[in-house]
Amino acid sequence: MKAYNEDDYLNLAGIQHFSFCQRQWALIHIEKLWKENLKTVEGELLHKNAHDGQAFEKRGDTLVSRGMPVFSATLGINGICDIVEFHRNANGIQLFGREGKYVPCPVEYKRGKPKESNMDTLQLTAQAMCLEEMLCCEVEEGYLYYGEIRHRERVLFTGALREEVRKDFDLMHQYYERQYTPKVKFTKACKSCSLKDLCIPNLDKCKSVKEYITRKIEEDN
Ligand code: SF4
């Protein structure tokens, strides 16, 4: 099985950007462009709250780990899990310094509400795949908590989701190696994209840069 060198690891959370728009991922992770909008700032605050507090906390039969670093050499990724709950279960794994056995269950915090696309699910699946590789166990389910509706949704890590995660990271590694940024493709996602001012997606609709500038001047007059 292929194993990536640690120096070549990509950011786990990047799969969300890649799933939203491959160009957006490349602009952020290859060209290192980042622009904050209200959504990204609110999202950051929510994650900060999830990471704050004790690193490990016991709640009945559940251990709660906040801000747990994870990685996968086979996917070539690393990142941080907002929360990993360890549920006491006879079929689980032994944890150092703890009695009994536990099954890990990642929980990711999101600012908004459930999305039409599966980008959040893919990120959570990637976290589960990291936990499986690190802890030599099976992680069958996790949860996405949405701040806007104050509700968490159960996610089952199916074979299809795992395959999509593998394919996406494989492609991201290929793009990264080639330092390749996909061309602009205007979609409805562009309206809510935090990089639209830097990416200029409307350029796609024009035949040339000259035409784009002419049209902008006309719009501004
Ligand atoms: S503006 Fe559109 S094409 Fe450009 S990065 Fe954002 S989503 Fe992708």
Side-chain angles (χ1 to χ4, degrees), residues 168-215:
D168 278 356
F169 280 120
D170 191 40
L171 205 49
M172 285 151 82
H173 276 290
Q174 288 177 38
Y175 286 0
Y176 196 86
E177 210 173 306
R178 290 164 49 205
Q179 293 289 288
Y180 168 69
T181 301
K183 291 196 171 53
V184 175
K185 196 172 165 196
F186 187 83
T187 65
K188 63 177 184 183
C190 297
K191 285 188 187 138
S192 60
C193 177
S194 55
L195 291 186
K196 63 175 181 262
D197 294 342
L198 297 168
C199 169
I200 320 180
N202 285 340
L203 207 53
D204 177 48
K205 290 180 173 174
C206 306
K207 289 195 175 68
S208 65
V209 173
K210 188 177 165 207
E211 189 185 324
Y212 171 78
I213 292 170
T214 309
R215 204 180 70 195

Side-chain angles (χ1 to χ4, degrees), residues 46-179:
L46 192 70
H47 283 98
K48 188 177 176 305
N49 291 340
H51 294 175
D52 277 354
Q54 286 177 283
F56 233 88
E57 186 189 325
K58 193 168 184 319
R59 286 193 208 149
D61 271 349
T62 302
L63 299 170
V64 181
S65 171
R66 295 172 194 277
M68 180 173 169
V70 291
F71 69 91
S72 160
T74 53
L75 292 172
I77 56 171
N78 60 8
I80 291 184
C81 290
D82 282 340
I83 285 181
V84 181
E85 293 179 352
F86 290 88
H87 300 156
R88 195 155 178 163
N89 185 317
N91 298 321
I93 47 160
Q94 201 101 38
L95 295 176
F96 182 74
R98 304 278 169 179
E99 268 183 36
K101 290 186 173 178
Y102 293 85
V103 171
C105 171
V107 183
E108 176 69 14
Y109 277 60
K110 295 293 171 197
R111 169 199 153 275
K113 52 188 178 193
K115 303 176 180 74
E116 277 176 33
S117 82
N118 68 349
M119 66 171 89
D120 297 341
T121 309
L122 290 175
Q123 184 187 4
L124 192 71
T125 306
Q127 292 178 359
M129 291 168 80
C130 287
L131 288 166
E132 287 180 335
E133 197 171 308
M134 289 166 62
L135 302 171
C136 299
C137 64
E138 278 185 28
V139 181
E140 289 175 4
E141 62 175 34
Y143 290 89
L144 289 166
Y145 175 88
Y146 288 97
E148 206 172 305
I149 56 170
R150 294 172 181 269
H151 175 72
R152 68 188 213 171
E153 301 218 325
R154 184 168 173 241
V155 175
L156 291 177
F157 303 124
T158 62
L161 275 174
R162 290 163 189 268
E163 193 49 33
E164 199 172 337
V165 167
R166 278 188 209 101
K167 276 190 184 154
D168 278 356
F169 280 120
D170 191 40
L171 205 49
M172 285 151 82
H173 276 290
Q174 288 177 38
Y175 286 0
Y176 196 86
E177 210 173 306
R178 290 164 49 205
Q179 293 289 288

